Amino acid sequence: MAPAIMLAADAPKLSSANTGFMLICSALVMLMTPGLAFFYGGMVRVKSTLNMLMMSFISLGIVTILWVLYGFSMAFGDDKGSLLGWTSDYVGFSGIGKMDLWPGYTIPVFVFAVFQLMFAIITPALISGALADRVKFSAWALFLVLWVTIVYFPIAHWVWGTGGWAYELGVIDFAGGTAVHINAGAAALGVILVIGKRAGFKKDPMRPHSLPLVMLGAGLLWFGWFGFNAGSWLGNDDGVGPLMFVNTQVATGAAMLAWLAYEKIRHGAFTTLGAASGAVAGLVAITPSGGAVSPLGAIAIGAIAGVLCAMAVGLKYKFNYDDSLDVVGVHMVGGIAGSLLIGFFASGRGQSDVKGLFYGGGLDQFWKQCAGVFAVLAYSLIASAILAFLLDKTVGMRVTEDEEISGIDQAEHAETAYDFSGAGGGVIASSAALAAPQSRKVDA
């Protein structure tokens, strides 16, 4: 048969509906980083609140600039040896026209680039939760620059870039189980093994100072995650995006309930921190898998991840590593669970016709998932540990013990999260203002 000839009329045309949808999804994913800041900020002690917020917010600035300068080109440019991308027109966005479409899709390159930028921003911010209370802000900022350049941009190309080895192998990662969550969790483990534990770890109480703030952050993450997941199909022309939206909701609910059930059985109480953490665990697990499984499969994946992550958060005490806010236990373990379970629950009726073991597909997809999961985990852990070691030996990663004990907010930012000293003055002033008219009325 003669090859088909594509006429100009057959080429994809810009879809205003898909473009608008993707811009909204990009904004939702951006909101996840402030949501993460609140989630982490509430989980630390009062004296570290601002530092925790700033470790997320600074990523919005640093990664945005690097993405425009070279990050987008490294992640999504023309393939170079299945490990990295590069397209000179993407450098500084200098060669991208406003009406240029992302190849094979109906949205502009600019829209695709800004959507992927939001993923690049939140991934290193996730790492910060493991490092709470003890890292210099300047060292963290420098780590951000190096980490996204050496670790995130290449891994994004492996997983999502045309020609990337994991992409070509057929590893399924709908929205970032490997590239985002396993990547961040493994990096967190690598760094904390280098910089060590907080002063007072396993001795002093280190309870969350504001559970309402944690719940607010978890709610914002849950809300923004619909853009994170459903938007990753880059349009709504074939029903896969809506399937992912539904699976995101049901897996998250199942994970939250499973975590709470485990917590009640294990510790005797249903905690708000457990509800928030369980929801995040479900969101993490369904991120790679939600486009490949049915809603019933999503419930199973969420429930499994909820229990596994609830069990995993206690490993830091058993193995004596200080993962301050359970980035390893939730993001790395949840990402591994969600990615590998595709090999069992893929239905063949979602994003592709790939079937998992429970649908008659054998273990072929499971082994592909294993390759992607453990390659990303190993590279991120080793590279991140090396970066942390080099920074610690040069600029120094940690604040002094005195600064850590007195409070990193004052030491690094010269501020405190809550100014209680002004409350009394406000009340007194208000009382005086109320008293003044009464006295005048009596005089009259």
Side-chain angles (χ1 to χ4, degrees):
M1 180 182 292
I5 299 175
M6 179 172 285
L7 303 176
D10 298 325
K13 296 180 180 179
L14 187 144
S15 166
S16 58
N18 284 339
T19 298
F21 170 73
M22 290 305 302
L23 288 173
I24 292 170
C25 287
S26 300
L28 287 171
V29 183
M30 180 271 165
L31 183 65
M32 291 173 67
T33 298
L36 180 72
F38 288 131
F39 181 69
Y40 281 169
M43 289 175 69
V44 296
R45 291 168 288 180
V46 171
K47 62 184 181 180
S48 303
T49 306
L50 294 180
N51 181 252
M52 204 71 261
L53 294 172
M54 281 291 287
M55 289 177 83
S56 288
F57 266 78
I58 194 64
S59 187
L60 285 161
I62 290 174
V63 180
T64 296
I65 301 304
L66 298 182
W67 188 252
V68 173
L69 292 179
Y70 60 82
F72 181 57
S73 183
M74 288 179 65
F76 292 100
D78 296 336
D79 179 63
K80 307 296 181 184
S82 299
L83 297 175
L84 201 64
W86 192 259
T87 297
S88 57
D89 283 348
Y90 293 166
V91 176
F93 288 8
S94 57
I96 303 174
K98 65 181 181 180
M99 294 297 289
D100 291 347
L101 299 186
W102 186 243
Y105 292 89
T106 58
I107 61 173
V109 176
F110 276 131
V111 174
F112 177 78
V114 78
F115 179 69
Q116 290 295 337
L117 163 62
M118 303 310 172
F119 283 66
I121 288 170
I122 197 171
T123 303
L126 292 171
I127 301 169
S128 66
L131 317 181
D133 298 331
R134 59 202 189 274
V135 173
K136 293 178 182 177
F137 188 68
S138 56
W140 169 247
L142 184 54
F143 177 82
L144 272 179
V145 173
L146 297 173
W147 189 83
V148 295
T149 302
I150 296 171
V151 180
Y152 181 80
F153 298 157
I155 287 179
H157 182 75
W158 296 359
V159 175
W160 293 319
T162 302
W165 71 263
Y167 180 89
E168 296 300 327
L169 179 63
V171 176
I172 294 175
D173 187 352
F174 194 96
T178 54
V180 176
H181 297 290
I182 296 173
N183 194 4
L189 181 60
V191 175
I192 58 182
L193 291 177
V194 170
I195 68 171
K197 299 177 282 292
R198 288 169 290 179
F201 176 64
K202 296 204 293 188
K203 297 178 182 178
D204 300 336
M206 298 180 180
R207 293 184 293 270
H209 89 279
S210 176
L211 288 170
L213 202 61
V214 173
M215 296 296 279
L216 171 64
L220 289 172
L221 284 169
W222 195 333
F223 176 68
W225 223 294
F226 290 114
F228 193 90
N229 280 358
S232 289
W233 201 239
L234 307 182
N236 280 317
D237 298 326
D238 58 6
V240 176
L243 172 66
M244 185 56 162
F245 193 109
V246 170
N247 284 345
T248 298
Q249 179 67 17
V250 299
T252 306
M256 180 177 66
L257 296 177
W259 187 301
L260 288 173
Y262 174 85
E263 194 173 54
K264 177 64 175 177
I265 295 168
R266 182 73 174 82
H267 303 293
F270 304 111
T271 69
T272 51
L273 182 60
S277 299
V280 173
L283 291 164
V284 169
I286 202 61
T287 290
S289 58
V293 304
S294 70
L296 288 177
I299 291 173
I301 288 172
I304 292 169
V307 173
L308 288 179
C309 292
M311 296 171 63
V313 296
L315 293 178
K316 62 185 179 183
Y317 300 110
K318 182 177 181 180
F319 294 108
N320 203 35
Y321 63 87
D322 187 8
D323 175 15
S324 306
L325 307 183
D326 301 314
V327 178
V328 176
V330 174
H331 292 276
M332 191 178 84
V333 173
I336 291 172
S339 297
L340 295 185
L341 287 172
I342 293 171
F344 296 93
F345 288 100
S347 67
R349 297 192 297 269
Q351 68 186 87
S352 71
D353 59 2
V354 171
K355 294 182 179 181
L357 180 65
F358 296 158
Y359 288 81
L363 288 172
D364 183 59
Q365 189 61 38
F366 175 75
W367 297 122
K368 291 179 181 180
Q369 296 303 117
C370 286
V373 163
F374 293 110
V376 169
L377 192 158
Y379 177 71
S380 182
L381 190 152
I382 294 169
S384 302
I386 292 172
L387 287 176
F389 177 81
L390 293 175
L391 287 173
D392 195 44
K393 295 301 180 183
T394 52
V395 301
M397 284 285 285
R398 294 190 61 149
V399 297
T400 67
E401 186 173 352
D402 288 343
E403 290 172 334
E404 184 180 334
I405 293 171
S406 62
I408 197 170
D409 283 358
Q410 280 286 2
E412 291 292 296
H413 308 290
E415 298 171 308
T416 56
Y418 307 101
D419 184 4
F420 297 109
S421 63
V427 172
I428 293 171
S430 298
S431 300
L434 290 171
Q438 291 175 346
S439 63
R440 285 194 295 273
K441 184 175 181 179
V442 171
D443 292 340

